Amino acid sequence: MDILEDILQKEAKKSEKYKTTDVEKNVELELDLGNLLALDTNDLNLQELKSHKEKYLLNLARDNTQLLLNKLWDLPSERREEIVVAKLPAGTLRLPREKPCPKPKPLTKWQEYALEKGIKKKKKTNAVWDDIVQKWIPRFGYKKAELERQKDWVLEVPGNADPMEDQFAKKAEKKKEKVSKNEFQRLRNIAKAKKIKVPKEGLPTIANPSSDLLNTAAKVARVSTASLGKFQPKLPKEKTLKENVIAPKRVKRDHSKISSNDEKSSHLKIIDSILGKKPKLDIEKAVNRQVFQDQNERSEEKKTQKSKGGKKRRKTSIPSKARKGGKISKPRVGKVNTKKGKAGVGGGRKRR
Amino acid sequence: MPSLQRVQKPTTRKGKKILLAKEPKVFEDVKKKLFLTGRKASEVLRNCSKDLYKLSKPHAVILSRKNDILPFENIVPVENLCRNNDASLFFFSTTNKKRPNSLTIGRLFDGRLLDMVEFCINDYKSFDQFTASIPAETKPCLVFSGELWEQSQELAKVKSLLVDVFRGEVIDAVRLQGLEHVIMFTATNDNILMRSYQIQLKKSSTKLPRVELEDLGPHIDMVLKRTKFASEDLMKRACRTPQEAKSKPKKNVSKDALGTTHGRIHMGKQKVGTIQTRKMKGLKKTAAEKRVARKSKKAN
């Protein structure tokens, strides 16, 4: 009996040393272990909340967290990468997603055909050995074009082809066609997936066309007659396709009819204009700048005068309009020669 | 790499990966948060945004400029900003005379507003006012105290929003020693009190640990003001889980009395007529044979 009592006393002492992990609640907590969530629907002690708010909240939180963790400790554990983890069940609270569920993409024309015929994709290696160049040529990607050029340093002219034909250009043309065909088919697949109807030939109709699109459409419609729009009625200011084309106007000069003197003078004129260039003096701008500067100085003075308290009046020669901030007219200054006449042109030009 | 249904293809592989990451997924990543300010900012709100941003790093973005936006009048500018930053949760803080220290928390579905709630912050204590600390990106335990969370319809929706905001990553297993953060929301008649604590696990006489809490911050006292919730329809649509995410019970697998597992395989019907086989040219029907076959068919 004594031994039993001793053991019980020892156990009691041991448990006294540590604080309890039990929590008593009137209503059980609703736990969602998957989300580490606990809902406590017990009444709050409003008196305590008012008087010792932080302390009460701390204790309440401690109790609720204790209950939550007690349940978490009961979960089955697992070892993942040398760490012991508890496996959580799926969360019960249904929360909304941020994006809608992914819709399965419809198969492309080729994918449908491949599925029907049972064609499976064969994985091809990138590099292909070429005996002539003695190198690994990649089938796609980095350095393909360069090495391909090395490999195809010469192209055979096939037996039935024109010997003057450029085989390299032909090859490049074929590749361009392939790429554009692929692009067309890709866009067609996208249109099919998005259920956008695209006409087999021609351009699709646009809901809100811009003004230039409408203009182009009108011009093209004009020219789409048997006589290529020659006899179509035209509005007074309407511009047809031909007029709008930006092409340099080739002025045909008859060089045999110009006299040597005329030619000489015209050449000299060109040289004068190039070599005799002087900086243009914009008088209006210069005067306006000066006026602005003077105005600023005056306003600064006024500010300092105000702080000083004294009154000083200064006579200025600025016209009243400019003082009020209006634009001044060009003052009467003598004609400034911006261009030098026949006499005296800049540096070392030989006269013949 | 899966394909993008775009007219203009991305020119770089990196760009393509970024675009693919923005596509809808079966199992979604953490929701990104956007912190923005309205016409006028206050110190309390600025500290609050900063602290909540620190809690949500790296899945958060703070916009530093002030915006002339009123979410309850026109939510479209907020939606645009969220779309540009790929965020689906936003924290909009403004202050004015009528609504001082107002923080609007909202979430989006498919780039459009789902629901939003406006809180008026009465009292705020930041991280810096407490000494405890936790490592970054710790998943918090969430506790909601008070019967109002269940009784009031409005507060039940607010609870859903708050869980969504503070939940963090969705996980299937947790290291028990790593549970260091707990956030408690108490709902009284007048206000909602948010308290955040650091969990300290102490030894106890049983194998369960004794939980002790230490003030960590932020501590926010807020009052629920205006709300804008989603219609039942929209919420239903947003909560829909894709077929792939639903766990299906395994069918056609059974165990017999001796413990051996049996499975049933159901074979489909073979399209014997249209199977792709080797073409034997010699066995092909000639034109005459075909004509005969057609005639006999017509006769029948």
Side-chain angles (χ1 to χ4, degrees):
Chain A
M1 277 306 280
D2 290 325
I3 305 166
L4 199 67
E5 274 186 37
D6 274 339
I7 294 169
L8 285 170
Q9 271 185 358
K10 270 191 185 165
E11 283 297 307
K13 270 193 185 166
K14 226 190 189 178
S15 55
E16 260 177 30
K17 225 185 8 169
Y18 302 118
K19 290 194 186 157
T20 177
T21 57
D22 297 323
V23 179
E24 262 217 37
K25 287 271 182 181
N26 289 337
V27 184
E28 283 282 325
L29 298 196
E30 285 175 32
L31 297 172
D32 177 4
L33 295 174
N35 285 316
L36 300 180
L37 179 64
L39 175 62
D40 174 19
T41 41
N42 289 299
D43 296 332
L44 298 168
N45 190 338
L46 293 169
Q47 276 186 332
E48 270 232 50
L49 191 65
K50 263 193 199 166
S51 50
H52 317 285
K53 187 156 85 166
E54 295 304 319
K55 215 175 162 190
Y56 173 66
L57 288 173
L58 189 92
N59 283 328
L60 182 62
R62 197 221 72 81
D63 288 341
N64 289 332
T65 319
Q66 179 75 70
L67 285 166
L68 176 63
L69 289 199
N70 286 349
K71 277 277 152 59
L72 284 173
W73 247 253
D74 283 337
L75 290 173
S77 64
E78 191 183 63
R79 208 186 169 80
R80 279 194 201 174
E81 293 173 17
E82 325 240 316
I83 305 169
V84 181
V85 290
K87 279 194 87 179
L88 296 172
T92 51
L93 185 66
R94 253 192 142 187
L95 291 167
R97 288 168 60 94
E98 64 173 336
K99 294 187 183 128
C101 308
K103 288 186 204 129
K105 294 213 170 97
L107 296 173
T108 62
K109 212 167 166 194
W110 164 254
Q111 281 173 335
E112 282 174 359
Y113 180 78
L115 206 68
E116 192 192 302
K117 290 286 184 176
I119 302 168
K120 296 233 163 89
K121 255 191 177 182
K122 269 192 239 170
K123 178 101 185 174
K124 297 181 200 152
T125 55
N126 190 2
V128 179
W129 179 253
D130 186 61
D131 266 333
I132 304 165
V133 197
Q134 295 279 311
K135 271 191 198 168
W136 287 97
I137 314 280
R139 198 182 267 127
F140 55 82
Y142 183 61
K143 293 250 178 183
K144 177 206 167 187
E146 188 187 314
L147 291 171
E148 191 106 317
R149 249 178 280 137
Q150 283 181 20
K151 181 178 114 187
D152 294 338
W153 62 282
V154 63
L155 282 176
E156 288 175 13
V157 176
N160 51 357
D162 175 20
M164 288 296 129
E165 201 179 18
D166 187 356
Q167 295 296 327
F168 290 100
K170 200 168 149 201
K171 186 165 176 248
E173 186 73 36
K174 260 194 184 168
K175 171 123 185 142
K176 258 194 189 172
E177 281 178 10
K178 256 195 181 177
V179 169
S180 49
K181 182 185 174 217
N182 185 272
E183 183 65 18
F184 172 75
Q185 295 195 94
R186 184 182 75 91
L187 293 171
R188 200 181 57 187
N189 279 327
I190 292 172
K192 186 179 163 218
K194 297 199 173 164
K195 306 219 169 81
I196 301 166
K197 293 211 169 158
V198 186
K200 201 170 168 189
E201 270 160 18
L203 294 168
T205 49
I206 304 168
N208 299 319
S210 62
S211 62
D212 19 280
L213 277 175
L214 288 169
N215 273 325
T216 322
K219 283 175 196 162
V220 171
R222 187 158 214 271
V223 188
S224 326
T225 57
S227 42
L228 301 179
K230 216 166 168 188
F231 304 109
Q232 289 298 100
K234 199 167 87 169
L235 288 172
K237 285 191 183 171
E238 191 181 342
K239 286 189 190 155
T240 55
L241 265 177
K242 260 195 179 174
E243 290 164 10
N244 260 20
V245 169
I246 303 164
K249 277 198 170 174
R250 294 198 163 207
V251 179
K252 278 210 165 175
R253 290 179 180 205
D254 197 0
H255 292 278
S256 58
K257 286 191 180 166
I258 305 171
S259 71
S260 59
N261 275 331
D262 287 336
E263 201 177 344
K264 193 195 217 172
S265 55
S266 74
H267 281 276
L268 286 178
K269 222 179 177 182
I270 294 168
I271 294 167
D272 276 343
S273 68
I274 295 167
L275 294 178
K277 276 192 177 164
K278 280 203 162 178
K280 279 191 230 170
L281 181 65
D282 191 353
I283 303 156
E284 205 173 316
K285 196 171 184 178
V287 177
N288 279 342
R289 210 175 255 178
Q290 184 60 38
V291 165
F292 180 69
Q293 212 176 9
D294 289 338
Q295 280 183 330
N296 273 354
E297 282 175 14
R298 264 213 89 203
S299 70
E300 292 282 320
E301 272 180 27
K302 266 197 174 172
K303 283 184 195 163
T304 52
Q305 272 172 30
K306 272 194 177 169
S307 63
K308 279 186 189 168
K311 267 193 180 178
K312 261 191 187 177
R313 281 261 165 149
R314 219 211 213 183
K315 238 190 181 179
T316 47
S317 55
I318 304 163
S320 56
K321 262 196 193 173
R323 238 186 291 148
K324 287 181 188 165
K327 195 180 182 192
I328 57 162
S329 57
K330 212 171 184 176
R332 286 205 186 154
V333 187
K335 222 185 183 180
V336 179
N337 275 339
T338 53
K339 207 183 184 187
K340 277 214 171 164
K342 284 187 185 169
V345 191
R349 176 181 61 79
K350 257 190 186 175
R351 269 207 186 222
R352 283 226 187 135
Chain B
M1 248 203 210
S3 67
L4 287 162
Q5 301 268 334
R6 283 177 140 241
V7 174
Q8 261 199 304
K9 291 196 282 192
T11 47
T12 54
R13 185 186 162 89
K14 190 175 179 188
K16 189 173 180 188
K17 285 210 298 196
I18 292 170
L19 284 171
L20 281 172
K22 294 189 181 173
E23 298 265 304
K25 296 186 198 95
V26 176
F27 295 106
E28 291 192 317
D29 303 322
V30 191
K31 286 192 182 181
K32 214 166 161 190
K33 300 187 184 122
L34 185 72
F35 293 87
L36 56 156
T37 329
R39 284 196 192 140
K40 192 172 172 195
S42 77
E43 202 181 320
V44 164
L45 284 174
R46 234 183 306 124
N47 288 335
C48 186
S49 291
K50 246 202 289 181
D51 283 349
L52 291 175
Y53 169 74
K54 279 190 208 164
L55 267 180
S56 346
K57 266 212 260 196
H59 310 286
V61 179
I62 286 197
L63 298 181
S64 48
R65 281 217 195 134
K66 288 195 221 157
N67 306 290
D68 190 7
I69 303 173
L70 292 165
F72 280 89
E73 280 173 33
N74 183 17
I75 193 66
V76 176
V78 179
E79 287 175 356
N80 290 335
L81 284 167
C82 287
R83 197 190 321 119
N84 292 342
N85 289 291
D86 199 27
S88 43
L89 292 165
F90 67 86
F91 292 72
F92 184 84
S93 33
T94 31
T95 182
N96 48 36
K97 220 173 187 180
K98 195 172 172 193
R99 298 169 211 279
N101 290 336
S102 109
L103 177 70
T104 310
I105 306 178
R107 58 188 163 183
L108 306 169
F109 172 68
D110 196 17
R112 269 119 148 264
L113 179 72
L114 187 60
D115 50 13
M116 64 179 168
V117 169
E118 185 185 30
F119 295 111
C120 170
I121 298 179
N122 286 336
D123 192 25
Y124 180 77
K125 290 204 188 86
S126 150
F127 275 137
D128 318 323
Q129 294 174 312
F130 303 102
T131 49
S133 69
I134 47 165
E137 285 189 77
T138 320
K139 186 159 162 102
C141 298
L142 299 167
V143 177
F144 286 81
S145 310
E147 72 272 22
L148 283 172
W149 288 117
E150 215 181 28
Q151 286 176 0
S152 154
Q153 279 268 1
E154 211 179 43
L155 279 183
K157 294 183 184 173
V158 173
K159 173 170 166 260
S160 153
L161 177 66
L162 289 171
V163 172
D164 212 356
V165 165
F166 289 100
R167 175 168 70 150
E169 220 181 313
V170 180
I171 50 172
D172 64 338
V174 69
R175 182 175 150 264
L176 294 169
Q177 309 301 322
L179 292 168
E180 292 192 51
H181 191 198
V182 65
I183 308 178
M184 186 172 81
F185 295 91
T186 318
T188 58
N189 269 316
D190 325 316
N191 45 15
I192 298 173
L193 310 167
M194 173 181 146
R195 295 288 180 272
S196 163
Y197 304 102
Q198 183 201 15
I199 302 176
Q200 290 166 343
L201 302 168
K202 300 276 159 83
K203 242 180 154 183
S204 85
S205 46
T206 57
K207 70 167 179 133
L208 301 167
R210 163 83 186 173
V211 167
E212 291 298 340
L213 299 180
E214 206 186 308
D215 281 315
L216 173 71
H219 289 353
I220 315 178
D221 291 354
M222 41 200 178
V223 183
L224 182 66
K225 292 281 179 181
R226 296 178 286 182
T227 59
K228 192 169 184 185
F229 294 123
S231 59
E232 287 271 341
D233 266 2
L234 186 57
M235 203 40 149
K236 247 192 184 175
R237 212 157 28 99
C239 291
R240 222 182 268 168
T241 49
Q243 282 286 329
E244 296 95 324
K246 290 188 192 154
S247 54
K248 280 182 233 168
K250 252 196 162 174
K251 287 165 103 183
N252 295 319
V253 177
S254 62
K255 269 193 167 170
D256 72 357
L258 298 167
T260 31
T261 331
H262 292 267
R264 297 177 76 123
I265 305 171
H266 299 263
M267 297 293 294
K269 195 174 179 185
Q270 268 188 314
K271 294 186 200 140
V272 188
T274 52
I275 285 181
Q276 173 79 329
T277 52
R278 277 235 184 100
K279 293 185 178 92
M280 307 266 185
K281 218 164 160 187
L283 299 173
K284 217 161 113 175
K285 280 189 179 158
T286 60
E289 282 179 351
K290 279 196 198 158
R291 243 180 280 141
V292 169
R294 240 186 290 145
K295 270 195 184 162
S296 62
K297 214 180 173 186
K298 259 193 180 173
N300 290 350

